[in-house]
Amino acid sequence: MSPPHSPFTRFVHSESFAGLLLVCTALIAFVWANSPWRDVYFAWQHTHLALSLGNARLDLSLEHWVNDGLMAVFFLLVGLEIKRELLIGELASRRRASLAVAGALGGMLVPAALYAALNAGGPGAPGWGVPMATDIAFALGILALLGPRVPLGLKVFLTALAIVDDLGAVLVIALFYTSGLKLTFLALAALTWGLALYAGWRGAFSLKLYGVLGVLLWFFVLQSGLHATIAGVLLAFAIPIRQPTSAGYLASLAEAAKPGRGELVGARLRDLEDLLERAQSPLHRLEHALHPFVTFLVLPVFALANAGVPVSAGGFGVVSLGVLLGLIVGKPLGVVGGAWLAVRSGVAALPRQVGWGHMVGAGLLAGIGFTMSLFVANLAFGDGSLLTQAKLGVLLASVLAGMLGAGWLLLTSRRTLPGGESASIP
């Protein structure tokens, strides 16, 4: 069991609150879109906001500002988490990474195949990427509600699984949900990213520098035809994770800590605070700064803008059924099947105190695809009845996956061993 105030425990608690906040905002959007005030809901979505700088002008609807702008910040945070986990986190261990990668690959391929089998050759065919994603905030929120009944190793596995899943979703968006490319802006984006990579390689620790480069990169990617959110992930991989040089840092800290006259105490304290903050790597500083912003603003606003599904407009169709089967049936089959193959082949092992019954529960919870699935649905269908069907399938599947996953884990964790450890269904 991890210490009560370990970084991972604090992360799980934060994600559980994020899940609760998402549930509330999604419910508000759904009720609003099906209420007598539905016209107000759709009117604010399509209200345009323009920004001008000299001759350059960017005119987007509020819905597009949310999905292309705010969500780029979300993808920046996702990219930072992926880089951290790959270098120093759970994915840095080959056996743990192998289990998460195998489970995530199965959890992406099987749902996509089920959806494609139902919608092949039809108008809903482009939506095969919708049931591939996992919403980490919802999934970890449910695990947190189950408390000590669930082994910590299962939470670690599900976190790593969701991170690999997010990386897969980013690749799918970049490769398959991209419009015609504009080579001039693509070259400018590549040049800007190259500058960011060079700054990171040279050890530039100023977040303001990466902020300026990030805004430019976002604009060029948006204009190039790639989805603008890809800029967030690209920028994340440029931001360094190493800390400042220890010798220079310690010398500065010692100088700032020297006793001085009373009127200088306040200034010295500010110097010490600044030095202690700079002791962290730029990646950690940015990740910590973005996490509350994404939790309390970006994701709730995204849910409010995208979860408003007017049930009467499109109804439940073959697209909804494909998404539902992909997330409810395909996810657990793919996650457990991929993990079983990895363990069977000897390249991975189950986490401590985690049995296959727990893994089935994790597979069911992985079917909660809310944030990323809604995002891919917007890219696949644009506006219209097919988008409504896809969103309805995502919402229904996410609710069912959460209920089934929580119920299954309660059953598998009910019995306890003499030492107090949870016993799982083999």
Side-chain angles (χ1 to χ4, degrees):
M1 194 72 180
S2 67
H5 299 294
S6 69
F8 185 79
T9 302
R10 291 198 301 269
F11 173 73
V12 170
H13 289 166
S14 176
E15 290 299 321
S16 67
F17 181 76
L20 179 62
L21 195 59
L22 277 178
V23 169
C24 293
T25 50
L27 185 61
I28 290 171
F30 186 81
V31 172
W32 190 0
N34 291 280
S35 72
W37 301 280
R38 64 175 66 88
D39 291 340
V40 178
Y41 176 82
F42 294 107
W44 81 261
Q45 275 188 327
H46 296 97
T47 300
H48 275 246
L49 175 65
L51 294 180
S52 299
L53 181 62
N55 294 327
R57 178 179 172 85
L58 193 59
D59 189 351
L60 300 173
S61 68
L62 289 180
E63 184 181 18
H64 281 102
W65 276 115
V66 171
N67 292 341
D68 293 351
L70 281 181
M71 286 301 285
V73 182
F74 167 73
F75 275 85
L76 172 59
L77 181 60
V78 167
L80 294 172
E81 291 175 345
I82 290 172
K83 182 174 181 177
R84 172 174 50 79
E85 291 296 323
L86 285 171
L87 295 178
I88 61 173
E90 293 302 320
L91 300 180
S93 164
R94 184 184 64 82
R95 289 178 68 82
R96 283 181 294 196
S98 297
L99 187 68
V101 170
L105 284 175
M108 290 186 285
L109 295 176
V110 177
L114 282 176
Y115 179 95
L118 283 173
N119 288 274
W128 57 269
V130 175
M132 295 176 67
T134 295
D135 193 298
I136 188 173
F138 276 154
L140 286 179
I142 290 175
L143 284 183
L145 291 175
L146 296 176
R149 290 175 177 267
V150 179
L152 180 64
L154 189 70
K155 299 176 184 178
V156 173
F157 166 74
L158 189 58
T159 302
L161 174 81
I163 288 171
V164 177
D165 196 287
D166 283 343
L167 179 58
V170 169
L171 292 175
V172 166
I173 291 169
L175 295 175
F176 300 103
Y177 292 103
T178 293
S179 56
L181 296 178
K182 298 177 182 177
L183 296 182
T184 300
F185 284 105
L186 194 62
L188 289 171
L191 177 62
T192 307
W193 188 40
L195 290 174
L197 288 171
Y198 178 75
W201 177 68
R202 293 287 296 175
F205 295 104
S206 171
L207 292 182
K208 293 179 181 178
L209 170 64
Y210 295 108
V212 172
L213 291 174
V215 171
L216 290 173
L217 180 61
W218 175 83
F219 177 77
F220 292 143
V221 171
L222 176 68
Q223 298 298 323
S224 73
L226 287 172
H227 198 272
T229 52
I230 301 299
V233 179
L234 294 177
L235 180 65
F237 278 89
I239 295 174
I241 196 171
R242 64 183 184 276
Q243 295 173 314
T245 305
S246 57
Y249 168 74
L250 291 175
S252 300
L253 187 62
E255 179 65 27
K258 286 180 180 178
R261 298 195 309 270
E263 63 269 18
L264 297 179
V265 170
R268 291 185 181 278
L269 285 175
R270 286 192 295 272
D271 290 341
L272 282 169
E273 289 175 355
D274 180 62
L275 284 167
L276 289 172
E277 181 182 349
R278 288 194 287 115
Q280 292 183 312
S281 72
L283 186 145
H284 284 93
R285 282 191 286 139
L286 185 56
E287 186 178 355
H288 293 159
L290 288 180
H291 202 280
F293 177 72
V294 170
T295 299
F296 297 118
L297 179 65
V298 174
L299 291 181
V301 170
F302 173 81
L304 189 65
N306 290 275
V309 183
V311 177
S312 59
F316 190 93
V318 67
V319 170
S320 306
L321 182 60
V323 172
L324 191 66
L325 287 179
L327 289 172
I328 296 297
V329 178
K331 270 291 184 181
L333 282 177
V335 168
V336 177
W340 183 85
L341 288 174
V343 172
R344 186 73 174 177
S345 63
V347 300
L350 290 182
R352 184 173 174 269
Q353 298 184 11
V354 173
W356 287 109
H358 292 119
M359 294 294 286
V360 172
L364 287 167
L365 289 179
I368 304 174
F370 184 79
T371 303
M372 200 69 82
S373 291
L374 288 177
F375 188 80
V376 176
N378 280 302
L379 299 180
F381 297 118
D383 294 324
S385 62
L386 291 179
L387 177 60
T388 299
Q389 288 187 33
K391 287 185 174 183
L392 186 59
V394 169
L395 295 177
L396 288 174
S398 297
V399 171
L400 287 174
M403 294 173 61
L404 291 172
W408 179 267
L409 286 173
L410 284 174
L411 288 176
T412 59
S413 304
R414 182 173 296 172
R415 293 166 49 226
T416 56
L417 297 175
E421 295 181 356
S422 297
S424 61
I425 295 172

